[in-house]
Amino acid sequence: MSAGRLKDGRQRSVVSMVTMFLLAVLWTLPTLGLLITSFRTRDAAATSGWWAALWEGGWTTENYARVFEQADLGNAFLNGIAVAVPATIIPIMFAAFAAYAFTFMDFKGKDVLFIIIVAVMVVPIQVAFQPLLDLLGPRGLGISGQYLAVWLLHTGFGMPLAIYVLRNYMASLPYSVVESARIDGCSNFQIFWKLIAPMAMPAMAAFATLQFLWVWNDLLIAKLFLSNDNTTVIVKLQQLLGTQGQGAELLTAGAFISMVLPMIVFFTLQNFLVRGMTSGAVKG
C-alpha cells in the first residue's frame, strides 16, 4: 500500500507513515505533560496526573513568575549565553583548522595523532574532573569559578569529536580544488578561508548546533567550575528542587523557559544540521 510519492519518485509507505506518526506522538507526550504541569498549582499536580487537568482545572501562571523571583533565572539565562556562545565558537574554530591540516596537509605522525584524538573521545569526561579541579583551582591556575575555566573545558571536551566530524566531511570535498589553488600560489591560510571553510559550512553549522545544545544543557561542568554568582540556568533549575520534592512545579516552568533559546538555535540552523549530517552519505 502507498500514499503519495516521495520527491525521488518512490512510493510512500502507509506503514512508515503510521510508524513515524506514532513515534512522534510518543516523543511529544512527555513534553506535553511537562508543559501542562508547568501551568498547574502544586496541589493539583500532586493529586492528579497532567492528563486530568482538562476536567479538574487547577491552572495558574504563578509558577513562571515565581521562577524569576526565586531562582534569579534572568541573570542565569544571560550567564548561560555567556558560557555557551564562546564554548561553541572556540572549539569549532580550532577544530576546523586541525581538520584542514589532517585532510589537506602532509606532516610526520599525522595518522597516529588523528588516532589518538579519536581515542580520546571514548574517555569519560568524569574521570578528568579531579585533576582538572586541581589544575584550574587555587593550587593551579586559579581560574575556577570564572567563565574562562568553563570555556577551556568545553573546548577540550568538544574538540576531538569536532575534529573527527569536520575531517571526515573535508575528506569528501574535491581535492583538485585545493591543488588548483596551490598552483595559483595560494597559501594554506588563503585556501582554508576562501575555499574550504565556505564549503565546510554545513558541517560546521551542524556541529555548532549540537555543541551549543550540549553546553547549554550541561549541569556537571557548570556546577563544579562556576560560582553561584555566574552559574548557568540549568544549575539554577537543579537548585529549585528541594530534597523533599519542594519546587517541582517551579522546575517544570523553568524547564520551558530554558528551552526557548535552544529551540531558536535549532530551528534557525536545522537546514545546516540536516545537510551536515547527510553530506557524504550518497556518493555522486
Side-chain angles (χ1 to χ4, degrees):
M1 297 179 66
S2 63
R5 290 178 177 272
L6 299 174
K7 292 182 179 180
D8 58 4
R10 292 179 297 165
Q11 293 288 339
R12 189 188 301 272
S13 171
V14 173
V15 176
S16 64
M17 293 175 62
V18 173
T19 302
M20 288 187 292
F21 175 77
L22 292 177
L23 290 175
V25 170
L26 291 174
W27 187 268
T28 307
L29 274 177
T31 306
L32 178 62
L34 192 67
L35 176 62
I36 294 176
T37 304
S38 70
F39 285 102
R40 302 189 73 196
T41 63
R42 176 177 174 82
D43 292 337
T47 54
S48 62
W50 60 267
W51 53 87
L54 297 178
W55 60 83
E56 290 189 2
W59 298 96
T60 181
T61 58
E62 185 181 355
N63 295 336
Y64 286 88
R66 290 177 57 196
V67 162
F68 283 96
E69 295 173 0
Q70 296 185 17
D72 193 22
L73 213 61
N75 288 332
F77 204 91
L78 296 177
N79 293 336
I81 297 176
V83 169
V85 172
T88 299
I89 296 175
I90 296 174
I92 293 178
M93 180 180 64
F94 286 107
F97 289 135
Y100 173 85
F102 281 118
T103 307
F104 299 108
M105 298 176 63
D106 292 323
F107 54 90
K108 188 175 181 180
K110 179 175 73 172
D111 293 336
V112 175
L113 181 58
F114 184 73
I115 292 174
I116 293 174
I117 292 175
V118 174
V120 171
M121 291 192 298
V122 304
V123 179
I125 63 175
Q126 290 82 1
V127 302
F129 282 153
Q130 184 56 54
L132 287 172
L133 284 169
D134 294 335
L135 175 64
L136 303 179
R139 293 180 296 177
L141 299 177
I143 60 175
S144 182
Q146 302 177 22
Y147 290 137
L148 179 60
V150 180
W151 294 342
L152 292 176
L153 290 174
H154 282 299
T155 298
F157 292 138
M159 273 188 59
L161 180 59
I163 293 174
Y164 177 76
V165 171
L166 294 179
R167 185 261 185 188
N168 289 344
Y169 183 89
M170 290 181 184
S172 67
L173 300 178
Y175 192 78
S176 58
V177 175
V178 177
E179 291 181 329
S180 300
R182 285 176 176 165
I183 292 174
D184 291 337
C186 293
S187 64
N188 284 314
F189 186 80
Q190 292 173 321
I191 294 173
F192 174 80
W193 281 112
K194 295 182 178 180
L195 294 176
I196 302 303
M199 288 191 291
M201 189 57 65
M204 289 191 285
F207 187 83
T209 305
L210 298 177
Q211 176 72 1
F212 183 89
L213 296 178
W214 291 333
V215 176
W216 182 266
N217 292 321
D218 169 69
L219 171 66
L220 193 55
I221 294 178
K223 193 172 182 64
L224 290 176
F225 294 92
L226 287 177
S227 66
N228 193 55
D229 294 332
N230 61 356
T231 194
T232 61
V233 62
I234 301 301
V235 177
K236 287 293 186 180
L237 290 180
Q238 183 267 335
Q239 295 173 351
L240 283 174
L241 189 62
T243 57
Q244 303 299 323
Q246 309 94 323
E249 72 282 2
L250 303 182
L251 187 62
T252 56
F256 271 89
I257 295 174
S258 69
M259 289 168 54
V260 173
L261 185 59
M263 289 179 64
I264 294 174
V265 172
F266 177 80
F267 286 114
T268 302
L269 300 178
Q270 63 175 334
N271 291 333
F272 288 106
L273 179 63
V274 174
R275 287 172 55 190
M277 296 180 67
T278 58
S279 294
V282 180
K283 296 294 184 181

